[in-house]
Amino acid sequence: MAIESSLLTCQAVGKNFGALAAVRDISFSVRPGEVLGIVGPNGAGKTTLLNLLSGGLAPDSGTIRLGHNLSMASLDQKREQLDADATLQDALTGGGGEMVSVNGKARHVVGYMKDFLFLPEQARTPLDVLSGGERGRLMLARALARPSNLLVLDEPTNDLDLETLDLLQETLAEYGGTVLLVSHDRDFLDRVATSVIAWKGGTKWLEYAGGYSDMMRQRRGEPAPARDAGEPRK
């Protein structure tokens, strides 16, 4: 991919933690509108790579270049951004009344809640009584309410039921920006990813076109189906 058309470009990027090398000499680019899946076993460095790409960590070697006018939103793997004492309405509005700004437009919080499968009577529900799936939907709703053209998702399918998984897939299909995504869910990656960065052992990572199944075909020497980055996601 040409650097000029890239939203994000890594060139020979490396990251160490003491004597341990987590990432070494990785180079690739991400174009606007792509969904990049990051896959590998636990401990391989997926979250480290995601944090490097999103600016949460600085590389020890190489360069990461981000496009101009980049606005980022993220969904936290451990839901650490939630205040257990707040209500669902407060979490979505920032404690600022009954309206939430979505893509620069004001919406009533109850209507926005319905988009994420919440009932109107849940507006005053304390967050500490929400189920794992409800907390996941809330985090997604909060992330998408922020103006952004880059969405960073670390294990977004954790604790989600099938209904919420379908909602997440539909939401990403409608999202107009670029997505960086860490996930163990192979079917989910097949449905949403336009390319995959996969761990190959040690500190080696390789980029593949398409989703998880496409990656596996390419590892066997079979070509992946061509998919343009601007093609609607499944």
Side-chain angles (χ1 to χ4, degrees), residues 77-149:
Q77 180 184 20
K78 298 180 180 178
R79 323 293 192 223
E80 291 174 347
Q81 300 171 18
L82 295 178
D83 179 359
D85 296 327
T87 66
L88 183 58
Q89 178 173 325
D90 288 340
L92 289 172
T93 64
E98 298 181 346
M99 306 302 291
V100 58
S101 179
V102 182
N103 294 324
K105 298 180 180 179
R107 291 190 58 186
H108 195 278
V109 66
V110 172
Y112 188 58
M113 282 170 47
K114 290 180 180 178
D115 291 350
F116 293 87
L117 311 179
F118 290 107
L119 299 174
E121 53 266 31
Q122 289 182 281
R124 297 295 182 183
T125 299
L127 301 188
D128 60 358
V129 304
L130 295 181
S131 68
E134 289 172 331
R135 290 167 71 86
R137 277 186 269 138
L138 171 58
M139 291 300 296
L140 182 61
R142 278 163 50 100
L144 293 173
R146 303 186 186 103
S148 71
N149 52 18

Side-chain angles (χ1 to χ4, degrees), residues 181-195:
L181 165 68
V182 168
S183 180
H184 287 284
D185 190 326
R186 300 177 181 184
D187 181 66
F188 181 71
L189 287 166
D190 278 343
R191 292 175 181 272
V192 303
T194 58
S195 62

